Amino acid sequence: MSQLQTYVDRRVTVIMNDGRLVVGLLRGLDQTTNIIMQECQERVFSEDDGVEIVDLGLYMIRGDNIAIIGLVDEAADAELDFENTRCAPLPPVRH
């Protein structure tokens, strides 16, 4: 069994190879790490504006587009001030 199977029905953060960051409820995955997320949001970072939250709803990500998957610390996440957070967007992964 994949270790990711223990993340099903929990909130996860996914960083994709193109630098996008999405957060949502992991609903399922297959043997090639294609994942399905529910209540998904993309967090778009900017050095000039706050973090933009884009609601994606139900979202599927191909396994070969995933760089990192991790559990969300919900208490710490709730304390983040996205309006006043400034940072450069994540660069794409280079192989």
Side-chain angles (χ1 to χ4, degrees), residues 66-92:
I66 297 172
I68 300 172
I69 300 177
L71 290 175
V72 172
D73 180 337
E74 299 213 32
D77 194 59
E79 293 180 14
L80 294 174
D81 179 11
F82 292 115
E83 286 185 22
N84 294 311
T85 300
R86 308 282 190 268
C87 67
L90 294 171

Side-chain angles (χ1 to χ4, degrees), residues 3-58:
Q3 280 190 308
L4 286 178
Q5 194 67 40
T6 62
Y7 290 6
V8 171
D9 294 328
R10 299 178 73 183
R11 284 186 63 76
V12 295
T13 298
V14 178
I15 299 175
M16 292 187 263
N17 291 334
D18 62 3
R20 288 183 292 162
L21 184 145
V22 294
V23 177
L25 194 60
L26 181 64
R27 284 302 189 188
L29 62 136
D30 66 11
Q31 67 275 10
T32 58
T33 319
N34 297 317
I35 64 172
I36 298 174
M37 298 173 69
Q38 187 176 20
E39 301 171 11
C40 195
Q41 298 178 325
E42 181 177 357
R43 295 180 180 172
V44 182
F45 296 91
S46 168
E47 292 179 293
D48 302 320
D49 303 317
V51 178
E52 179 184 359
I53 306 294
V54 179
D55 287 322
L56 302 173
L58 188 64

